[in-house]
Amino acid sequence: DVKVTQSSRYLVKRTGEKVFLECVQDMDHENMFWYRQDPGLGLRLIYFSYDVKMKEKGDIPEGYSVSREKKERFSLILESASTNQTSMYLCASSPASSSYNSPLHFGNGTRLTVT
Amino acid sequence: AQRVTQPEKLLSVFKGAPVELKCNYSYSGSPELFWYVQYSRQRLQLLLRHISRESIKGFTADLNKGETSFHLKKPFAQEEDSAMYYCALGRGTALIFGKGTTLSVSS
C-alpha cells in the first residue's frame, strides 16, 4: 500500500517566517504534488514535480517554491509566510504513465496556521 | 480552460434515499475523470475513475460527453457515506479538482 507521509500534522508560524513542509512517499512514484485545501475553494494545485529536480507551477504558485532533490521527497517552501497562507496543505504522489492519468495517493495533510 | 464544477456545497439526504452528486467539466480533449472521497479525519482517497467503469461502495458514475457531466450516484444512501466528495479532471500529469460537495446522510 502506498504511503505518503507529511512530517507535521499541525504547524503554527509567524508572519514573515520561512516555512518548510516536507513530504515523503515510499512507492518510487515519479510524480509528486502539493495542493492546498480550503473550505469552499476545494483543492488547488500549487506545484508539482514529475522527476528529481524538475518542477512545474500549478494554478496558485505565488508565494511558494518547491524542492525535489530525491525521488521520494518533495518539499514545499513558503518564502515569507503570510496570514492568507493559513490552510490545509496536501501532498500527493502518483506513478508516471504515458497513456492516462494515474490516481493520486494523498498524505494526511499539514494544517498550517500563520499568525 | 479546463474546469470542474460541483454546483452543490451540501447535499443532505435520509438513509435509504437515492443520492446524486453533480459534476460538470470543461475540457476540449478526451477527459479522464475521477471521484475522490474524504471521510472525517481520514485522508483523501480515490473512490472511482471513469475508465474503470466499476462500482465502489455502491457508487457509480457515468461519463456523459454530450452534457460534459460525470455525476456520482448511489441508489440507497447509508450513514457511513457521509463525507466530502470531490470530482477531479486529468490535466497533463496533474488533476484539477472541483470545490467539493459535503454529503450528509441522516437517519
Side-chain angles (χ1 to χ4, degrees):
Chain A
D1 196 24
V2 177
K3 193 155 187 191
V4 179
T5 303
Q6 295 183 232
S7 56
S8 302
R9 191 77 176 99
Y10 299 94
L11 274 180
V12 180
K13 297 291 181 181
R14 292 189 181 274
T15 302
E17 277 193 82
K18 191 169 185 176
V19 181
F20 293 85
L21 302 184
E22 306 288 346
C23 175
V24 176
Q25 52 95 3
D26 66 359
M27 283 301 290
D28 203 36
H29 284 174
E30 286 76 15
N31 305 320
M32 296 188 76
F33 308 84
W34 277 106
Y35 289 86
R36 62 178 285 178
Q37 182 182 30
D38 299 287
L41 296 177
L43 274 74
R44 293 179 290 167
L45 180 65
I46 305 171
Y47 266 98
F48 67 98
S49 168
Y50 53 89
D51 201 352
V52 175
K53 298 191 186 292
M54 305 305 291
K55 61 185 179 184
E56 292 280 346
K57 291 181 180 179
D59 298 312
I60 52 163
E62 296 79 18
Y64 303 95
S65 62
V66 290
S67 172
R68 192 161 181 207
E69 296 296 319
K70 293 185 178 181
K71 191 175 185 180
E72 68 270 19
R73 185 180 298 271
F74 193 36
S75 303
L76 179 69
I77 303 155
L78 285 67
E79 299 291 342
S80 177
S82 64
T83 55
N84 63 13
Q85 292 178 310
T86 292
S87 186
M88 174 69 85
Y89 289 87
L90 299 182
C91 176
S93 72
S94 71
S97 171
S98 60
S99 56
Y100 55 86
N101 282 97
S102 301
L104 305 187
H105 300 266
F106 283 89
N108 274 323
T110 296
R111 183 165 294 282
L112 173 67
T113 302
V114 183
T115 61
Chain B
Q2 298 95 337
R3 188 165 54 247
V4 176
T5 303
Q6 295 180 251
E8 303 141 326
K9 280 188 178 179
L10 173 65
L11 184 64
S12 296
V13 302
F14 287 107
K15 178 181 173 181
V19 171
E20 184 179 52
L21 298 168
K22 290 184 167 50
C23 173
N24 289 91
Y25 66 90
S26 173
Y27 188 72
S28 57
S30 198
E32 292 183 33
L33 287 149
F34 304 79
W35 277 99
Y36 279 78
V37 60
Q38 189 169 31
Y39 301 102
S40 180
R41 301 182 186 280
Q42 294 187 27
R43 66 183 67 197
L44 195 61
Q45 58 188 284
L46 176 69
L47 180 61
L48 54 79
R49 56 192 302 189
H50 91 273
I51 63 170
S52 302
R53 302 184 67 81
E54 57 194 346
S55 173
I56 304 293
K57 299 185 179 184
F59 285 97
T60 59
D62 291 318
L63 176 61
N64 184 325
K65 291 187 178 181
E67 296 184 357
T68 60
S69 68
F70 188 56
H71 302 329
L72 184 68
K73 299 177 183 179
K74 185 170 183 177
F76 307 103
Q78 303 298 315
E79 290 182 77
E80 55 265 31
D81 295 329
S82 295
M84 174 71 86
Y85 291 81
Y86 291 97
C87 183
L89 169 69
R91 186 185 69 188
T93 302
L95 299 186
I96 56 172
F97 288 79
K99 294 183 178 181
T101 299
T102 299
L103 174 64
S104 176
V105 182
S106 57
S107 55

